[in-house]
mmCIF file with all atom_site columns, all heavy atoms in Angstrom:
data_model
loop_
_atom_site.group_PDB
_atom_site.id
_atom_site.type_symbol
_atom_site.label_atom_id
_atom_site.label_alt_id
_atom_site.label_comp_id
_atom_site.label_asym_id
_atom_site.label_entity_id
_atom_site.label_seq_id
_atom_site.pdbx_PDB_ins_code
_atom_site.Cartn_x
_atom_site.Cartn_y
_atom_site.Cartn_z
_atom_site.occupancy
_atom_site.B_iso_or_equiv
_atom_site.pdbx_formal_charge
_atom_site.auth_seq_id
_atom_site.auth_comp_id
_atom_site.auth_asym_id
_atom_site.auth_atom_id
_atom_site.pdbx_PDB_model_num
ATOM 1   N N   . GLN A 1 172 ? 55.691 -91.756 -58.384 1.00 0.00 ? 172 GLN A N   1
ATOM 2   C CA  . GLN A 1 172 ? 57.082 -91.315 -58.572 1.00 0.00 ? 172 GLN A CA  1
ATOM 3   C C   . GLN A 1 172 ? 57.439 -91.127 -60.040 1.00 0.00 ? 172 GLN A C   1
ATOM 4   O O   . GLN A 1 172 ? 58.346 -91.777 -60.562 1.00 0.00 ? 172 GLN A O   1
ATOM 5   C CB  . GLN A 1 172 ? 58.039 -92.291 -57.911 1.00 0.00 ? 172 GLN A CB  1
ATOM 6   C CG  . GLN A 1 172 ? 57.818 -92.356 -56.415 1.00 0.00 ? 172 GLN A CG  1
ATOM 7   C CD  . GLN A 1 172 ? 58.783 -93.282 -55.702 1.00 0.00 ? 172 GLN A CD  1
ATOM 8   O OE1 . GLN A 1 172 ? 59.819 -93.656 -56.224 1.00 0.00 ? 172 GLN A OE1 1
ATOM 9   N NE2 . GLN A 1 172 ? 58.447 -93.651 -54.499 1.00 0.00 ? 172 GLN A NE2 1
ATOM 10  N N   . PRO A 1 173 ? 56.715 -90.227 -60.714 1.00 0.00 ? 173 PRO A N   1
ATOM 11  C CA  . PRO A 1 173 ? 57.047 -89.967 -62.112 1.00 0.00 ? 173 PRO A CA  1
ATOM 12  C C   . PRO A 1 173 ? 58.391 -89.237 -62.176 1.00 0.00 ? 173 PRO A C   1
ATOM 13  O O   . PRO A 1 173 ? 58.819 -88.655 -61.184 1.00 0.00 ? 173 PRO A O   1
ATOM 14  C CB  . PRO A 1 173 ? 55.914 -89.026 -62.556 1.00 0.00 ? 173 PRO A CB  1
ATOM 15  C CG  . PRO A 1 173 ? 55.549 -88.289 -61.304 1.00 0.00 ? 173 PRO A CG  1
ATOM 16  C CD  . PRO A 1 173 ? 55.726 -89.285 -60.187 1.00 0.00 ? 173 PRO A CD  1
ATOM 17  N N   . GLN A 1 174 ? 59.029 -89.283 -63.321 1.00 0.00 ? 174 GLN A N   1
ATOM 18  C CA  . GLN A 1 174 ? 60.276 -88.507 -63.434 1.00 0.00 ? 174 GLN A CA  1
ATOM 19  C C   . GLN A 1 174 ? 59.995 -87.021 -63.428 1.00 0.00 ? 174 GLN A C   1
ATOM 20  O O   . GLN A 1 174 ? 60.792 -86.230 -62.963 1.00 0.00 ? 174 GLN A O   1
ATOM 21  C CB  . GLN A 1 174 ? 60.985 -88.871 -64.735 1.00 0.00 ? 174 GLN A CB  1
ATOM 22  C CG  . GLN A 1 174 ? 61.526 -90.259 -64.699 1.00 0.00 ? 174 GLN A CG  1
ATOM 23  C CD  . GLN A 1 174 ? 62.633 -90.393 -65.712 1.00 0.00 ? 174 GLN A CD  1
ATOM 24  O OE1 . GLN A 1 174 ? 63.497 -89.535 -65.831 1.00 0.00 ? 174 GLN A OE1 1
ATOM 25  N NE2 . GLN A 1 174 ? 62.594 -91.466 -66.463 1.00 0.00 ? 174 GLN A NE2 1
ATOM 26  N N   . LEU A 1 175 ? 58.838 -86.668 -63.997 1.00 0.00 ? 175 LEU A N   1
ATOM 27  C CA  . LEU A 1 175 ? 58.497 -85.250 -64.125 1.00 0.00 ? 175 LEU A CA  1
ATOM 28  C C   . LEU A 1 175 ? 57.162 -84.970 -63.469 1.00 0.00 ? 175 LEU A C   1
ATOM 29  O O   . LEU A 1 175 ? 56.163 -85.623 -63.771 1.00 0.00 ? 175 LEU A O   1
ATOM 30  C CB  . LEU A 1 175 ? 58.344 -84.909 -65.610 1.00 0.00 ? 175 LEU A CB  1
ATOM 31  C CG  . LEU A 1 175 ? 59.563 -84.413 -66.330 1.00 0.00 ? 175 LEU A CG  1
ATOM 32  C CD1 . LEU A 1 175 ? 59.287 -84.395 -67.832 1.00 0.00 ? 175 LEU A CD1 1
ATOM 33  C CD2 . LEU A 1 175 ? 59.929 -83.006 -65.857 1.00 0.00 ? 175 LEU A CD2 1
ATOM 34  N N   . LEU A 1 176 ? 57.170 -83.981 -62.612 1.00 0.00 ? 176 LEU A N   1
ATOM 35  C CA  . LEU A 1 176 ? 55.953 -83.611 -61.913 1.00 0.00 ? 176 LEU A CA  1
ATOM 36  C C   . LEU A 1 176 ? 55.632 -82.155 -62.243 1.00 0.00 ? 176 LEU A C   1
ATOM 37  O O   . LEU A 1 176 ? 56.500 -81.291 -62.144 1.00 0.00 ? 176 LEU A O   1
ATOM 38  C CB  . LEU A 1 176 ? 56.211 -83.770 -60.408 1.00 0.00 ? 176 LEU A CB  1
ATOM 39  C CG  . LEU A 1 176 ? 55.101 -83.444 -59.441 1.00 0.00 ? 176 LEU A CG  1
ATOM 40  C CD1 . LEU A 1 176 ? 53.896 -84.349 -59.688 1.00 0.00 ? 176 LEU A CD1 1
ATOM 41  C CD2 . LEU A 1 176 ? 55.602 -83.627 -58.011 1.00 0.00 ? 176 LEU A CD2 1
ATOM 42  N N   . PHE A 1 177 ? 54.399 -81.918 -62.659 1.00 0.00 ? 177 PHE A N   1
ATOM 43  C CA  . PHE A 1 177 ? 53.966 -80.551 -62.968 1.00 0.00 ? 177 PHE A CA  1
ATOM 44  C C   . PHE A 1 177 ? 52.872 -80.163 -61.985 1.00 0.00 ? 177 PHE A C   1
ATOM 45  O O   . PHE A 1 177 ? 51.848 -80.855 -61.908 1.00 0.00 ? 177 PHE A O   1
ATOM 46  C CB  . PHE A 1 177 ? 53.384 -80.479 -64.381 1.00 0.00 ? 177 PHE A CB  1
ATOM 47  C CG  . PHE A 1 177 ? 54.353 -80.839 -65.460 1.00 0.00 ? 177 PHE A CG  1
ATOM 48  C CD1 . PHE A 1 177 ? 54.381 -82.123 -65.988 1.00 0.00 ? 177 PHE A CD1 1
ATOM 49  C CD2 . PHE A 1 177 ? 55.238 -79.900 -65.958 1.00 0.00 ? 177 PHE A CD2 1
ATOM 50  C CE1 . PHE A 1 177 ? 55.275 -82.463 -66.994 1.00 0.00 ? 177 PHE A CE1 1
ATOM 51  C CE2 . PHE A 1 177 ? 56.142 -80.229 -66.966 1.00 0.00 ? 177 PHE A CE2 1
ATOM 52  C CZ  . PHE A 1 177 ? 56.155 -81.510 -67.482 1.00 0.00 ? 177 PHE A CZ  1
ATOM 53  N N   . LEU A 1 178 ? 53.072 -79.103 -61.259 1.00 0.00 ? 178 LEU A N   1
ATOM 54  C CA  . LEU A 1 178 ? 52.084 -78.687 -60.262 1.00 0.00 ? 178 LEU A CA  1
ATOM 55  C C   . LEU A 1 178 ? 51.614 -77.267 -60.551 1.00 0.00 ? 178 LEU A C   1
ATOM 56  O O   . LEU A 1 178 ? 52.437 -76.347 -60.646 1.00 0.00 ? 178 LEU A O   1
ATOM 57  C CB  . LEU A 1 178 ? 52.693 -78.723 -58.855 1.00 0.00 ? 178 LEU A CB  1
ATOM 58  C CG  . LEU A 1 178 ? 53.221 -80.053 -58.338 1.00 0.00 ? 178 LEU A CG  1
ATOM 59  C CD1 . LEU A 1 178 ? 53.938 -79.862 -56.998 1.00 0.00 ? 178 LEU A CD1 1
ATOM 60  C CD2 . LEU A 1 178 ? 52.080 -81.046 -58.165 1.00 0.00 ? 178 LEU A CD2 1
ATOM 61  N N   . ASP A 1 179 ? 50.307 -77.103 -60.678 1.00 0.00 ? 179 ASP A N   1
ATOM 62  C CA  . ASP A 1 179 ? 49.764 -75.767 -60.940 1.00 0.00 ? 179 ASP A CA  1
ATOM 63  C C   . ASP A 1 179 ? 49.182 -75.190 -59.655 1.00 0.00 ? 179 ASP A C   1
ATOM 64  O O   . ASP A 1 179 ? 48.156 -75.658 -59.169 1.00 0.00 ? 179 ASP A O   1
ATOM 65  C CB  . ASP A 1 179 ? 48.671 -75.859 -62.017 1.00 0.00 ? 179 ASP A CB  1
ATOM 66  C CG  . ASP A 1 179 ? 48.351 -74.485 -62.597 1.00 0.00 ? 179 ASP A CG  1
ATOM 67  O OD1 . ASP A 1 179 ? 48.911 -73.478 -62.113 1.00 0.00 ? 179 ASP A OD1 1
ATOM 68  O OD2 . ASP A 1 179 ? 47.534 -74.427 -63.535 1.00 0.00 ? 179 ASP A OD2 1
ATOM 69  N N   . GLU A 1 180 ? 49.824 -74.201 -59.117 1.00 0.00 ? 180 GLU A N   1
ATOM 70  C CA  . GLU A 1 180 ? 49.416 -73.541 -57.873 1.00 0.00 ? 180 GLU A CA  1
ATOM 71  C C   . GLU A 1 180 ? 49.021 -74.569 -56.801 1.00 0.00 ? 180 GLU A C   1
ATOM 72  O O   . GLU A 1 180 ? 47.893 -74.566 -56.308 1.00 0.00 ? 180 GLU A O   1
ATOM 73  C CB  . GLU A 1 180 ? 48.281 -72.558 -58.154 1.00 0.00 ? 180 GLU A CB  1
ATOM 74  C CG  . GLU A 1 180 ? 48.691 -71.568 -59.245 1.00 0.00 ? 180 GLU A CG  1
ATOM 75  C CD  . GLU A 1 180 ? 47.975 -70.240 -59.171 1.00 0.00 ? 180 GLU A CD  1
ATOM 76  O OE1 . GLU A 1 180 ? 47.531 -69.862 -58.081 1.00 0.00 ? 180 GLU A OE1 1
ATOM 77  O OE2 . GLU A 1 180 ? 47.880 -69.578 -60.215 1.00 0.00 ? 180 GLU A OE2 1
ATOM 78  N N   . PRO A 1 181 ? 49.948 -75.427 -56.438 1.00 0.00 ? 181 PRO A N   1
ATOM 79  C CA  . PRO A 1 181 ? 49.613 -76.557 -55.566 1.00 0.00 ? 181 PRO A CA  1
ATOM 80  C C   . PRO A 1 181 ? 49.108 -76.149 -54.188 1.00 0.00 ? 181 PRO A C   1
ATOM 81  O O   . PRO A 1 181 ? 48.338 -76.870 -53.575 1.00 0.00 ? 181 PRO A O   1
ATOM 82  C CB  . PRO A 1 181 ? 50.928 -77.333 -55.448 1.00 0.00 ? 181 PRO A CB  1
ATOM 83  C CG  . PRO A 1 181 ? 51.989 -76.344 -55.777 1.00 0.00 ? 181 PRO A CG  1
ATOM 84  C CD  . PRO A 1 181 ? 51.383 -75.418 -56.783 1.00 0.00 ? 181 PRO A CD  1
ATOM 85  N N   . SER A 1 182 ? 49.530 -75.001 -53.693 1.00 0.00 ? 182 SER A N   1
ATOM 86  C CA  . SER A 1 182 ? 49.119 -74.662 -52.332 1.00 0.00 ? 182 SER A CA  1
ATOM 87  C C   . SER A 1 182 ? 47.969 -73.673 -52.295 1.00 0.00 ? 182 SER A C   1
ATOM 88  O O   . SER A 1 182 ? 47.603 -73.186 -51.226 1.00 0.00 ? 182 SER A O   1
ATOM 89  C CB  . SER A 1 182 ? 50.320 -74.132 -51.541 1.00 0.00 ? 182 SER A CB  1
ATOM 90  O OG  . SER A 1 182 ? 50.866 -73.030 -52.199 1.00 0.00 ? 182 SER A OG  1
ATOM 91  N N   . ALA A 1 183 ? 47.353 -73.414 -53.469 1.00 0.00 ? 183 ALA A N   1
ATOM 92  C CA  . ALA A 1 183 ? 46.290 -72.403 -53.516 1.00 0.00 ? 183 ALA A CA  1
ATOM 93  C C   . ALA A 1 183 ? 45.146 -72.705 -52.550 1.00 0.00 ? 183 ALA A C   1
ATOM 94  O O   . ALA A 1 183 ? 44.553 -71.792 -51.991 1.00 0.00 ? 183 ALA A O   1
ATOM 95  C CB  . ALA A 1 183 ? 45.773 -72.256 -54.950 1.00 0.00 ? 183 ALA A CB  1
ATOM 96  N N   . SER A 1 184 ? 44.832 -73.999 -52.364 1.00 0.00 ? 184 SER A N   1
ATOM 97  C CA  . SER A 1 184 ? 43.705 -74.298 -51.461 1.00 0.00 ? 184 SER A CA  1
ATOM 98  C C   . SER A 1 184 ? 44.166 -74.913 -50.138 1.00 0.00 ? 184 SER A C   1
ATOM 99  O O   . SER A 1 184 ? 43.374 -75.515 -49.432 1.00 0.00 ? 184 SER A O   1
ATOM 100 C CB  . SER A 1 184 ? 42.714 -75.222 -52.169 1.00 0.00 ? 184 SER A CB  1
ATOM 101 O OG  . SER A 1 184 ? 43.398 -76.362 -52.642 1.00 0.00 ? 184 SER A OG  1
#
Side-chain angles (χ1 to χ4, degrees):
Q172 298 182 17
Q174 291 202 44
L175 268 169
L176 180 61
F177 298 97
L178 300 173
D179 196 356
E180 305 206 25
S182 57
S184 54

